[in-house]
Amino acid sequence: MAESYITPRQTHDEFFPYSGCKEDQLRFLLRYAVLAPSHYNAQPWKFRLHSDGIEIIKNASRAALTVDPQLRELTISCGAAVRMIEVAARYFALEPQVIFPSDNQSDFLARIELIDRHEPSDQDALLFHAIKERQTNRGLFTDAIIPNEVTKSCLASARELGVELGFTHNKRLKMAFASLTAFAVRHQLSLPWYRLEFASWMRSSISLKPDGMTGFGFFASNLPSPLARTTMKWLNRGKQIGIFNKNKVITASPILAVISTDADSQESWINTGRLLSDLLLKLTTVGLSASFMNQAIQEPKLRKQVAKLFSCEAKPQLVLRIGVAEKVQWTPRMPVDDCII
């Protein structure tokens, strides 16, 4: 199979252009950036290549405006892509530097430059190889323990990025959060425009589209029927789906992780995404799965209750479920060239 025709997940790492120019090296790193997690697997990023750096641009045309009117989750997704570039660069013996623009209102989110040589560590290699293995898994999780060294490493990354991270397996907290989640799900699914937007990102297992997600894990423990997308559009099943998600939090989410920041700013959201990728890759290295449970955060009134529940003086940005689960189908990715402007 020719290198130019393979998908990002099939990239041959040994083809990295060590002797090439910086622009060639940066272009190669984008193969790992596009494997970052994103809301609805919308892949809402664009990249502008220069001879000495990459600019990360948000693609607002891929926003889910019903639940993300401020493009908060979209920006977090772009931050996750930034971290994937950082991890890949260090593996290939290059030291990246992330530079934020002075104008926080533009679509230009960050710039990455390769500023020095880097001596890759064993940890660098572990995180890099986890990029292709990481996947969002919305299934039912069994009990898990995060190794202490992984917890410490994730907390250290959070401090470095100025982001707060907390873990809990407290049953009382999970039950309270599960109730907030069920309430948020019922409310969202009562809105016809939310159902239409959500359904627009649903894909069947045989879809050829390079984005979106299957319905597995959102509202059933088994794969959805071919009519799932139509059902989502036209029927309000908020009560049943709310109960399903409530039970999933209580009985099939051994650990919850909460990421929060002091403020809702573009830079804070980018750093949230950087920490997100860091956390997910480190969990992958020890065989743990994760998925998002953000419905309550997407509702402004409930977001305040989430902050109070988890004792966050800051702004909660993401809640993740963590545990052990069987692998699921890989989500598709757009070709790298389609993401370059």
Side-chain angles (χ1 to χ4, degrees):
M1 186 181 295
E3 175 72 6
S4 59
Y5 288 96
I6 64 178
T7 68
R9 205 176 295 279
Q10 296 171 313
T11 293
H12 295 302
D13 307 332
E14 65 272 20
F15 287 177
F16 182 79
Y18 286 102
S19 59
C21 65
K22 275 191 176 180
E23 186 170 343
D24 288 341
Q25 293 176 339
L26 290 163
R27 182 180 293 271
F28 197 93
L29 295 179
L30 292 180
R31 302 177 186 213
Y32 307 98
V34 299
L35 293 176
S38 60
H39 185 217
Y40 292 168
N41 190 30
Q43 303 162 59
W45 41 65
K46 288 287 187 180
F47 306 102
R48 184 179 291 121
L49 278 168
H50 298 277
S51 59
D52 59 349
I54 301 172
E55 291 180 356
I56 291 81
I57 314 293
K58 62 185 174 187
N59 184 357
S61 69
R62 304 189 69 78
L65 293 176
T66 300
V67 293
D68 192 25
Q70 294 182 301
L71 306 188
R72 181 183 63 84
E73 292 193 34
L74 182 150
T75 305
I76 290 172
S77 300
C78 292
V82 168
R83 193 58 154 194
M84 293 300 191
I85 296 173
E86 294 179 85
V87 170
R90 292 192 178 102
Y91 175 78
F92 291 118
L94 300 165
E95 184 60 42
Q97 180 181 46
V98 178
I99 302 168
F100 293 103
S102 56
D103 177 11
N104 286 332
Q105 303 303 314
S106 69
D107 290 340
F108 167 44
L109 297 175
R111 178 183 176 90
I112 300 177
E113 296 180 357
L114 305 178
I115 60 172
D116 204 352
R117 301 296 294 173
H118 173 80
E119 186 64 35
S121 65
D122 291 343
Q123 179 73 349
D124 290 328
L126 276 174
L127 294 181
F128 172 77
H129 291 301
I131 292 176
K132 294 180 189 177
E133 294 300 317
R134 183 214 65 81
Q135 58 178 191
T136 300
N137 191 323
R138 301 182 186 88
L140 306 181
F141 295 164
T142 57
D143 284 348
I145 297 175
I146 303 176
N148 285 335
E149 61 271 21
V150 172
T151 300
K152 290 178 181 178
S153 179
C154 291
L155 292 174
S157 295
R159 288 192 295 271
E160 174 191 339
L161 293 168
V163 178
E164 293 184 21
L165 172 64
F167 299 97
T168 185
H169 59 267
N170 183 285
K171 185 174 291 188
R172 181 188 63 80
L173 288 180
K174 287 197 293 183
M175 291 182 67
F177 177 69
S179 295
L180 291 178
T181 298
F183 185 89
V185 169
R186 289 197 303 272
H187 175 255
Q188 289 175 341
L189 289 173
S190 71
L191 307 174
W193 49 92
Y194 169 83
R195 299 199 303 272
L196 288 170
E197 182 177 79
F198 187 95
S200 72
W201 292 104
M202 290 178 65
R203 305 286 183 261
S204 72
S205 59
I206 60 173
S207 173
L208 298 179
K209 290 188 176 182
D211 59 10
M213 60 204 169
T214 65
F216 173 67
F218 279 112
F219 42 81
S221 58
N222 57 344
L223 290 174
S225 73
L227 296 176
R229 184 172 177 174
T230 300
T231 301
M232 175 60 68
K233 283 182 180 180
W234 305 116
L235 294 181
N236 176 8
R237 299 179 58 221
K239 182 177 181 180
Q240 301 96 308
I241 297 174
I243 291 172
F244 172 78
N245 280 278
K246 179 177 181 178
N247 291 336
K248 185 161 69 169
V249 171
I250 295 172
T251 65
S253 305
I255 302 168
L256 296 180
V258 184
I259 300 177
S260 56
T261 60
D262 287 335
D264 276 323
S265 67
Q266 191 162 276
E267 185 172 330
S268 294
W269 296 338
I270 287 287
N271 283 335
T272 294
R274 293 168 75 191
L275 178 63
L276 170 65
S277 281
D278 190 89
L279 170 61
L280 294 177
L281 293 178
K282 288 172 181 174
L283 292 173
T284 300
T285 65
V286 292
L288 294 177
S289 296
S291 67
F292 304 97
M293 192 60 73
N294 293 325
Q295 296 93 332
I297 291 179
Q298 292 166 349
E299 296 292 312
K301 292 181 180 179
L302 296 183
R303 191 183 185 200
K304 295 178 182 178
Q305 295 185 49
V306 172
K308 183 177 181 181
L309 177 65
F310 292 110
S311 301
C312 298
E313 295 184 7
K315 307 284 187 181
Q317 302 292 351
L318 298 173
V319 177
L320 292 96
R321 308 166 49 242
I322 299 171
V324 175
E326 294 293 326
K327 289 279 189 179
V328 293
Q329 178 181 333
W330 296 114
T331 51
R333 288 297 186 275
M334 291 186 286
V336 172
D337 287 347
D338 290 356
C339 301
I340 297 175
I341 57 176

